[in-house]
C-alpha cells in the first residue's frame, strides 16, 4: 500500500503539468479520450487523480462532458495495465528499479528526483507482494480462513460486497489487487471467487470519489463521479448472470491464478468501454438532466472555483486556489472598495448592511482557503508547489486585512451617521485624491495577479511614496485646520471628534494601500 501511494504521488509530481499541456491535442476524438484516460491513469497510478483532472478540464472548457466520460472509461483500462505489470513475477527487476530510484532520488534534481521516488515505490510494491505471499502460506492451514475464502466462490454476491468494502476501506484498487494476487499465489483464492471480487473492487474504487463529489461545487464533478460509479454498477449487473462463462473466458487466457486476477480486471474494463463508449454522448445529455445545474438562489458562502476533489492532484488544487484569490480580489474591489464614497456620503443602511455581509464573506473565505491549503500541504508538494502555496496564503491574508480595514471604515461611518456627523461633499473632495490613488493601486494589483506580472506589480510599489505623501498632507491639513459641518461652526468638542474620525479614515485608506503593496511584493517575488 505504501509502495502504491508513493508511486502515485511521485508520478503526479513528475507528469501532471506535461499531461495538461498535451491534453487538447489528444481529446479531439472519442477514442483518443479513452487513450488519454488510459495513459493518465498509468502515469498517476490513480484513477481518482485522473477523474479530478477530467473535471478540471471540463470546467476549463477544454473538453465536453462526453469526452470526459471517455477518459473515465479509459482510466479503468489504465488501472488494468498497472495491475498487469504487477502480475509479472519480476521481483529482481523491481529491486533493480528501487536501486536506480534511490540513486535518482538522492543525486537527481527536480523532475528526476520525482522519477526516482516513483521507482522506489514501484519496487516496494513487489517487495510487499513477495513478503505477503510468503506470510500467507500458514493461512491455508487455518480452517476458518480457508472456508471463508472458499465460500466466496459459491456466493458471488457476497464476494462482490467483500471486494467493494475492501477497496473502499483501503482506498486503492491497485493495492487490493496486489493482495488478491498474493492470496491467489498461495491457492487461497480460486477463479470462481476471483471474478466477483474483481468486480466488487472495480465498484469500490469509485466510492471515495463519489462521496467526495457530494460536496463539490461544480456539477460536472458530480456528473463525472456518478458516471464513473454507474458504469461499473451497470456492467456488473449485466455480467452477473454470466459470471461462470466469464470465468471460463479468463481461464482460457491463462492458467496462472495471479495472472487471472489481472486479466479479469482488464476484460471487465474493456467490457465497459465496448458497452458505454458508443453511448457517451447520450449518457452525457442524460446526466445533465438528472443532475441539472444549480438554479435559483445560491448558497450564502461557497467557493467559486475550488473543489475539494482537486486535492487529489496538487497541481490542479493550486491552480484553482490562484483563480479563487483573484475572484476574491475582484469581489473586494467591486463590493467593498468601490462603494466606500457612497457609504460615507449617504445615510443608507442598506449599503452598510451589504458591506457588512461582504466582510463576513471575506472572513469565511479566508478561513476555508487556509484550511484547504493546510490539507493540500499534507499531500507531499514539490518545493515549487510549497512556495506557491505559501504565496497564496500570504495574499489571502493580505486581502483579509484589506477587508478588515474596509470594515473599520464601515464602523466609523456608522458612528458618524449615528452622531449626525456626516462628511460634507467638500470635505470628501480632500480625501478623494487619496481614495482614488488607493483604488487605482488595488486595480493594478488585481491585473498583476491575473497575469502574475511582476512588471505590473512594480508600478504599485513605485507609486506608493506618492500615496504616503498625499496621506501626510491630509493629516497635516486636518490637524492644522478646524472642520465645519453643514457650513456652520460646530462647538469645539464636536469639531475635535469629527477631525479625529476623519484622521482615522485617512489612516485606514493608507492601510489598504500598504496591504496592496505587500501583495505586489509577492507577485514580484520579494516577499
Amino acid at each position: 500500500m505504501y509502495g502504491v501511494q508513493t508511486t502515485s504521488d511521485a508520478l503526479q509530481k513528475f507528469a501532471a503539468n506535461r499531461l495538461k499541456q498535451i491534453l487538447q491535442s489528444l481529446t479531439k476524438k472519442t477514442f483518443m479520450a479513452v487513450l488519454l484516460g488510459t495513459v493518465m491513469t498509468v502515469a498517476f497510478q490513480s484513477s481518482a487523480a485522473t477523474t479530478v483532472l477530467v473535471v478540471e478540464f471540463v470546467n476549463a472548457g477544454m473538453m465536453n462532458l462526453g469526452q470526459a466520460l471517455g477518459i473515465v472509461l479509459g482510466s479503468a483500462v489504465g488501472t488494468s495495465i498497472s495491475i498487469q505489470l504487477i502480475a509479472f513475477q519480476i521481483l529482481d527487476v523491481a529491486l533493480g528499479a528501487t536501486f536506480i530510484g534511490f540513486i535518482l532520488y538522492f543525486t537527481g534534481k527536480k523532475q528526476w528526483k520525482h522519477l526516482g521516488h516513483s521507482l522506489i515505490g514501484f519496487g516496494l510494491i513487489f517487495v510487499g507482494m513477495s513478503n505477503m505471499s510468503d506470510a500467507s502460506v500458514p493461512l491455508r492451514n487455518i480452517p476458518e480462513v480457508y472456508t471463508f475464502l472458499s465460500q466466496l466462490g459459491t456466493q458471488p454476491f457476497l464476494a462482490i460486497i467483500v471486494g467493494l468494502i475492501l477497496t473502499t476501506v483501503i482506498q486503492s484498487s491497485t493495492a487490493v489487487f496486489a493482495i488478491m494476487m498474493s492470496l491467489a499465489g498461495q491457492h487461497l483464492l480460486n477463479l470462481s471467487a476471483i471474478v466477483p471480487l474483481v468486480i466488487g473492487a472495480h465498484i469500490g474504487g469509485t466510492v471515495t470519489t463519489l462521496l467526495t463529489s457530494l460536496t463539490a461545487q461544480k456539477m460536472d464533478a458530480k456528473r463525472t463521479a456518478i458516471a464513473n460509479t454507474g458504469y461499473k454498477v451497470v456492467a456488473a449487473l449485466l455480467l452477473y448472470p454470466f459470471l461462470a462463462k466469464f470465468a471460463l473466458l479468463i481461464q482460457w487466457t491463462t492458467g496462472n491464478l495471479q495472472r487471472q486476477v489481472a486479466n479479469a480486471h482488464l476484460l471487465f474494463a474493456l467490457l465497459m468501454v465496448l458497452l458505454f463508449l458508443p453511448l457517451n454522448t447520450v449518457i452525457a445529455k442524460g446526466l445533465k438532466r438528472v443532475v441539472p445545474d444549480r438554479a435559483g438562489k445560491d448558497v450564502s458562502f461557497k467557493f467559486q472555483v475550488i473543489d475539494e476533489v482537486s486535492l487529489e492532484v496538487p497541481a490542479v488544487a493550486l491552480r484553482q486556489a490562484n483563480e479563487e484569490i483573484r475572484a476574491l480580489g475582484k469581489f473586494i474591489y467591486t463590493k467593498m472598495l468601490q462603494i466606500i464614497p457612497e457609504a460615507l456620503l449617504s445615510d443608507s443602511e442598506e449599503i452598510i448592511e451589504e458591506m457588512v455581509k461582504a466582510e463576513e464573506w471575506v472572513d469565511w473565505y479566508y478561513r476555508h482557503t487556509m484550511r484547504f491549503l493546510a490539507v493540500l500541504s499534507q499531500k507531499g508538494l514539490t518545493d515549487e508547489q510549497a512556495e506557491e502555496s505559501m504565496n497564496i496564503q500570504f495574499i489571502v491574508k493580505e486581502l483579509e486585512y484589506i477587508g478588515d480595514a474596509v470594515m473599520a471604515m464601515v464602523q466609523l461611518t456608522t458612528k458618524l451617521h449615528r452622531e449626525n456627523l456626516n462628511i460634507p461633499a467638500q470635505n470628501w473632495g480632500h480625501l478623494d485624491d487619496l481614495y482614488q490613488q488607493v483604488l487605482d493601486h488595488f486595480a493594478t494589483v488585481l491585473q498583476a495577479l491575473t497575469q502574475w506580472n511582476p512588471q505590473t506589480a512594480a508600478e504599485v510599489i513605485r507609486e506608493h511614496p506618492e500615496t504616503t505623501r498625499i496621506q501626510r498632507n491630509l493629516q497635516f491639513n486636518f490637524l492644522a485646520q478646524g472642520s465645519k459641518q453643514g457650513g456652520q461652526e460646530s462647538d469645539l468638542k464636536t469639531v475635535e471628534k469629527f477631525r479625529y474620525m476623519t484622521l482615522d479614515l485617512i489612516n485606514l485608506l493608507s492601510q489598504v494601500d500598504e496591504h496592496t503593496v505587500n501583495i505586489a511584493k509577492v507577485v514580484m517575488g520579494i516577499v
Side-chain angles (χ1 to χ4, degrees):
M1 288 170 63
Y2 177 74
V4 170
Q5 187 63 43
T6 299
T7 305
S8 174
D9 291 344
L11 284 176
Q12 282 190 47
K13 296 173 184 176
F14 181 74
N17 291 328
R18 289 176 173 81
L19 285 173
K20 289 176 70 175
Q21 291 169 1
I22 66 173
L23 172 72
Q24 286 177 302
S25 61
L26 287 178
T27 55
K28 300 298 182 184
K29 297 180 180 179
T30 305
F31 173 75
M32 296 305 291
V34 175
L35 178 62
L36 178 63
T38 302
V39 172
M40 287 169 65
T41 307
V42 172
F44 288 158
Q45 293 293 297
S46 171
S47 57
T50 302
T51 304
V52 170
L53 278 176
V54 166
V55 173
E56 176 71 10
F57 297 147
V58 171
N59 284 283
M62 299 171 72
M63 67 172 68
N64 58 43
L65 185 58
Q67 292 170 321
L69 297 182
I71 293 182
V72 168
L73 289 171
S75 69
V77 179
T79 304
S80 297
I81 293 175
S82 302
I83 294 169
Q84 288 288 334
L85 292 174
I86 294 174
F88 284 106
Q89 303 299 314
I90 53 172
L91 178 60
D92 292 339
V93 175
L95 291 173
T98 303
F99 177 71
I100 295 171
F102 269 107
I103 294 175
L104 291 175
Y105 184 73
F106 287 106
T107 63
K109 295 182 179 180
K110 292 184 178 180
Q111 298 302 104
W112 292 111
K113 184 182 291 286
H114 300 319
L115 180 61
H117 200 192
S118 68
L119 288 173
I120 293 172
F122 180 74
L124 288 177
I125 294 173
F126 291 91
V127 174
M129 283 187 60
S130 177
N131 289 338
M132 186 181 293
S133 181
D134 293 340
S136 61
V137 172
L139 295 178
R140 290 183 295 181
N141 300 322
I142 302 176
E144 292 81 5
V145 174
Y146 188 81
T147 301
F148 174 74
L149 294 176
S150 299
Q151 286 178 348
L152 294 179
T154 59
Q155 300 182 43
F157 183 76
L158 174 63
I160 291 174
I161 298 300
V162 169
L164 189 156
I165 294 174
L166 190 62
T167 311
T168 301
V169 171
I170 294 179
Q171 295 191 20
S172 171
S173 57
T174 304
V176 170
F177 284 107
I179 295 171
M180 289 170 58
M181 287 178 190
S182 299
L183 295 175
Q186 297 301 324
H187 298 283
L188 287 165
L189 288 177
N190 53 38
L191 183 57
S192 59
I194 287 172
V195 171
L197 281 171
V198 167
I199 293 174
H202 257 289
I203 300 171
T206 69
V207 171
T208 301
T209 305
L210 181 64
L211 293 176
T212 305
S213 73
L214 295 177
T215 60
Q217 299 296 334
K218 300 173 184 176
M219 290 299 100
D220 280 326
K222 298 181 185 291
R223 293 167 186 147
T224 305
I226 290 171
N228 192 26
T229 303
Y231 284 151
K232 297 179 181 183
V233 171
V234 172
L237 291 173
L238 293 175
L239 186 62
Y240 190 80
F242 310 101
L243 288 180
K245 294 183 179 180
F246 188 64
L248 290 175
L249 175 62
I250 296 168
Q251 191 174 29
W252 174 77
T253 62
T254 179
N256 184 293
L257 278 174
Q258 289 183 312
R259 175 63 58 186
Q260 286 174 357
V261 174
N263 289 356
H265 191 285
L266 177 60
L267 289 176
F268 187 77
L270 292 175
L271 174 65
M272 286 193 297
V273 173
L274 293 175
L275 283 174
F276 302 115
L277 185 60
L279 304 174
N280 261 0
T281 303
V282 177
I283 293 171
K285 291 179 180 178
L287 283 170
K288 288 183 178 180
R289 290 187 177 182
V290 175
V291 187
D293 293 321
R294 288 191 180 94
K297 63 178 182 179
D298 294 329
V299 179
S300 298
F301 299 120
K302 67 176 183 178
F303 284 125
Q304 296 183 38
V305 182
I306 286 175
D307 261 325
E308 296 290 333
V309 292
S310 67
L311 290 168
E312 292 290 336
V313 185
V316 173
L318 287 171
R319 194 195 73 79
Q320 289 184 351
N322 271 307
E323 287 190 20
E324 201 70 66
I325 61 171
R326 290 193 284 269
L328 176 63
K330 292 177 182 177
F331 178 85
I332 292 174
Y333 182 77
T334 57
K335 300 296 185 182
M336 300 184 79
L337 290 176
Q338 280 191 326
I339 59 178
I340 286 175
E342 188 177 359
L344 287 169
L345 297 175
S346 69
D347 194 7
S348 173
E349 293 185 2
E350 292 182 0
I351 295 175
I352 299 298
E353 288 178 3
E354 288 179 6
M355 295 183 74
V356 170
K357 289 179 180 178
E359 201 272 338
E360 289 176 356
W361 191 89
V362 172
D363 284 345
W364 177 92
Y365 182 91
Y366 168 73
R367 293 193 305 273
H368 286 75
T369 303
M370 286 300 194
R371 180 191 59 79
F372 178 83
L373 293 172
V375 175
L376 180 63
S377 67
Q378 300 172 10
K379 299 294 181 179
L381 305 180
T382 64
D383 292 340
E384 294 83 358
Q385 289 173 335
E387 182 179 356
E388 185 178 358
S389 177
M390 289 299 296
N391 286 340
I392 294 171
Q393 291 179 52
F394 188 92
I395 292 171
V396 171
K397 184 61 179 174
E398 293 299 319
L399 290 173
E400 199 258 348
Y401 282 147
I402 291 173
D404 289 343
V406 176
M407 188 60 193
M409 293 183 207
V410 171
Q411 293 172 346
L412 189 62
T413 302
T414 303
K415 188 174 182 180
L416 286 168
H417 292 167
R418 188 168 54 243
E419 300 186 16
N420 295 319
L421 294 173
N422 297 334
I423 296 179
Q426 63 268 26
N427 277 22
W428 174 253
H430 298 302
L431 298 178
D432 191 52
D433 288 343
L434 176 61
Y435 168 73
Q436 289 299 330
Q437 186 89 348
V438 171
L439 192 66
D440 289 345
H441 286 177
F442 192 82
T444 303
V445 158
L446 287 183
Q447 184 181 353
L449 280 175
T450 301
Q451 303 169 352
W452 203 259
N453 189 331
Q455 294 179 345
T456 304
E459 296 177 15
V460 176
I461 298 174
R462 284 196 299 268
E463 294 176 7
H464 180 60
E466 176 63 16
T467 307
T468 304
R469 186 191 66 79
I470 295 173
Q471 174 205 359
R472 288 177 178 174
N473 286 342
L474 283 172
Q475 288 174 329
F476 177 80
N477 291 336
F478 274 93
L479 285 171
Q481 301 172 9
S483 179
K484 292 186 178 182
Q485 181 151 353
Q488 296 179 356
E489 190 72 29
S490 303
D491 61 84
L492 183 61
K493 184 177 180 181
T494 303
V495 168
E496 289 297 313
K497 184 181 295 185
F498 181 80
R499 183 186 304 167
Y500 285 112
M501 283 186 178
T502 306
L503 287 172
D504 287 341
L505 185 60
I506 293 170
N507 289 331
L508 289 169
L509 284 170
S510 180
Q511 285 178 27
V512 171
D513 200 65
E514 291 283 352
H515 296 305
T516 302
V517 168
N518 289 340
I519 295 173
K521 289 179 179 178
V522 175
V523 178
M524 291 188 67
I526 58 177
V527 171

